[in-house]
Amino acid sequence: MEKHVKHRILVTGGAGYVGSRLVPRLLESGHQVAVLDLYLYGEAPLAAVRGNPRLKEVKGDLRDPAAVQSAMAGCDTVIHLACISNDPSFELDPGLGKSINRDCFPGLVRAALKAGVKRFIYASSSSVYGVKETPNVREESVCEPLTDYSRFKLDCERILMEEAGTSGMTCAIVRPATVCGYAPRQRLDLTVNILTIHALVNRRIRIFGGKQLRPNLHIDDMVRAYECFLDAPAEAVHGVPYNVGYQNRSVEDIGLIVRQTLGDEAIELKYEPTDDIRSYHINSDRVRDRLGFVPRHTIEDAVQGIAEAYRVGLLKEPMTNPLYYNIKRMQEVKLK
Ligand SMILES: NC(=O)c1ccc[n+]([C@@H]2O[C@H](COP(=O)([O-])OP(=O)(O)OC[C@H]3O[C@@H](n4cnc5c(N)ncnc54)[C@H](O)[C@@H]3O)[C@@H](O)[C@H]2O)c1
């Protein structure tokens, strides 16, 4: 999509996995970007753009109104990514998770209204649906979140509309699939990424169960989707949840794709039993039909991206480095 308008955008969590690809892209497109982040995964993820005169970085906590106010000053758009971003790290300290993922959210929305923000883009999750047997999990499917992480994602969608639905601020709700691929802040605790790194390092992929479906989205398409929500007509996005995913594949198929993409038949697929047969899959026709957003990058692309990064030494001690694993890092930083 052509970029007509230059925005002043606050990206909360801009130094995280998605943010570390999104922020450079927004700067490249000519936008002004403010990042509010605790930099739980270090400062290196934004090193390539540090010093860009259109980038402002605020190292601070989402729960601190002064930090929020300082980061948000002068912004017309918010892309809210910051959170404790998976079930295991959330469950490590549910009180902490709730304080970040839910309790401070009304204050964040009010701060945006006060600052005169015109558009608030909220990163929800496709996990809000829970497990569904139906083949097409569309946005009108009943949401039955199974964990607090997912429940609070759904709560925040509602809170956003309660606080700002009639204010004139455009509220966009994005429900992404599981993201995959390489980023300067790498996550290796997401399905495609996990299987890829195991194949590269151990030449063995452990498949627990295997028939469970997972919805996937390449990180470049995640970034393109946020760009699309920046410029989409207000009436098309306001208060309307959008699934954003591409390929729904079984865990076993993802393992096979990884092996084939790496071109190494000696990579062993080791099947192991599991009690966790949760199967997730989403339908993303709405974002294509209403906003014209079509993903371009495949699971194979994601595998290749990670393999390339590994081969050139961008992933340091990938099996053990806490920076790649949210739960390990949260155990280490002991955030309160
Ligand atoms: N990655 C995925 O597969 C995926 C899928 C669906 C939805 N999402 C959502 O997208 C968003 C981004 O995900 P991600 O994978 O980039 O997560 P991430 O964990 O890599 O990044 C989260 C960032 O938020 C920051 N942060 C955490 N608590 C904070 C606080 N109290 N104050 C300020 N900063 C804080 C962290 O330092 C980190 O940089 C999240 O909201 C996540 O729930 C991600």
Side-chain angles (χ1 to χ4, degrees):
M1 187 190 294
E2 233 186 290
K3 305 290 169 308
H4 302 293
V5 186
K6 301 299 173 217
H7 295 283
R8 284 163 296 152
I9 308 165
L10 168 63
V11 183
T12 72
Y17 176 50
V18 173
S20 70
R21 290 293 287 267
L22 177 62
V23 167
R25 176 73 196 146
L26 294 174
L27 289 167
E28 214 176 273
S29 302
H31 302 293
Q32 305 260 0
V33 181
V35 167
L36 173 63
D37 202 300
L38 275 173
Y39 295 82
L40 294 174
Y41 304 95
E43 305 203 352
L46 292 181
V49 287
R50 194 152 288 133
N52 184 314
R54 281 183 284 100
L55 174 66
K56 168 171 135 183
E57 293 183 83
V58 176
K59 185 170 185 171
D61 196 312
L62 199 56
R63 297 168 295 173
D64 171 6
V68 169
Q69 197 187 354
S70 151
M72 207 178 275
C75 289
D76 55 53
T77 306
V78 172
I79 302 179
H80 178 44
L81 304 177
C83 77
I84 303 302
S85 56
N86 67 3
D87 289 332
S89 49
F90 186 99
E91 281 152 20
L92 202 60
D93 183 346
L96 173 77
K98 181 166 177 283
S99 74
I100 295 173
N101 291 16
R102 188 197 180 287
D103 295 346
C104 69
F105 189 70
L108 182 75
V109 178
R110 279 180 223 142
L113 291 171
K114 200 167 157 206
V117 165
K118 301 278 176 281
R119 181 166 295 211
F120 193 110
I121 302 171
Y122 174 56
S124 182
S125 166
S126 57
S127 66
V128 294
Y129 299 109
V131 172
K132 296 269 182 268
E133 295 308 323
T134 45
N136 274 310
V137 180
R138 297 178 192 273
E139 291 82 348
E140 38 308 308
S141 306
V142 180
C143 290
E144 296 169 297
L146 292 170
T147 62
D148 280 348
Y149 165 79
S150 309
R151 214 177 335 274
F152 294 146
K153 284 284 179 195
L154 190 61
D155 278 0
C156 289
E157 293 186 6
R158 182 181 43 76
I159 292 168
L160 178 61
M161 295 316 291
E162 279 170 9
E163 294 285 341
T166 56
S167 65
M169 181 169 83
T170 302
C171 302
I173 295 164
V174 184
R175 294 177 177 167
T178 304
V179 183
C180 54
Y182 173 74
R185 190 262 130 161
Q186 187 60 48
R187 282 187 66 177
L188 294 174
D189 55 1
L190 300 164
T191 312
V192 170
N193 300 1
I194 299 174
L195 300 194
T196 304
I197 202 66
H198 279 257
L200 287 164
V201 177
N202 300 330
R203 300 184 72 212
R204 177 203 273 189
I205 303 175
R206 292 165 78 195
I207 308 270
F208 293 89
K211 301 298 174 207
Q212 318 92 307
L213 289 173
R214 292 288 176 267
N216 302 285
L217 181 70
H218 192 284
I219 192 153
D220 285 350
D221 285 323
M222 183 77 265
V223 167
R224 290 179 55 244
Y226 285 122
E227 289 185 293
C228 168
F229 281 93
L230 268 184
D231 291 318
E235 59 282 9
V237 297
H238 184 62
V240 183
Y242 279 94
N243 292 343
V244 183
Y246 188 19
Q247 297 156 295
N248 294 298
R249 291 286 181 277
S250 71
V251 175
E252 177 181 35
D253 281 349
I254 296 172
L256 292 167
I257 291 171
V258 168
R259 178 162 73 186
Q260 194 180 24
T261 306
L262 296 179
D264 183 352
E265 281 307 311
I267 292 169
E268 180 196 357
L269 260 57
K270 189 167 188 309
Y271 291 85
E272 306 205 4
T274 179
D275 295 336
D276 185 4
I277 50 155
R278 287 180 294 174
S279 201
Y280 298 101
H281 52 103
I282 54 167
N283 174 295
S284 302
D285 289 352
R286 177 182 283 178
V287 73
R288 181 196 63 203
D289 297 344
R290 296 194 194 174
L291 306 185
F293 177 78
V294 181
R296 290 184 190 149
H297 304 280
T298 59
I299 294 172
E300 285 86 344
D301 295 334
V303 173
Q304 271 160 5
I306 292 174
E308 178 62 17
Y310 176 65
R311 288 187 183 120
V312 301
L314 287 173
L315 300 175
K316 316 266 185 240
E317 298 172 42
M319 302 309 287
T320 52
N321 190 338
L323 292 176
Y324 305 137
Y325 299 92
N326 287 16
I327 183 151
K328 287 187 193 169
R329 183 64 181 151
M330 292 307 292
Q331 278 164 335
E332 196 175 65
V333 294
K334 299 191 170 60
L335 181 66
K336 285 288 160 223

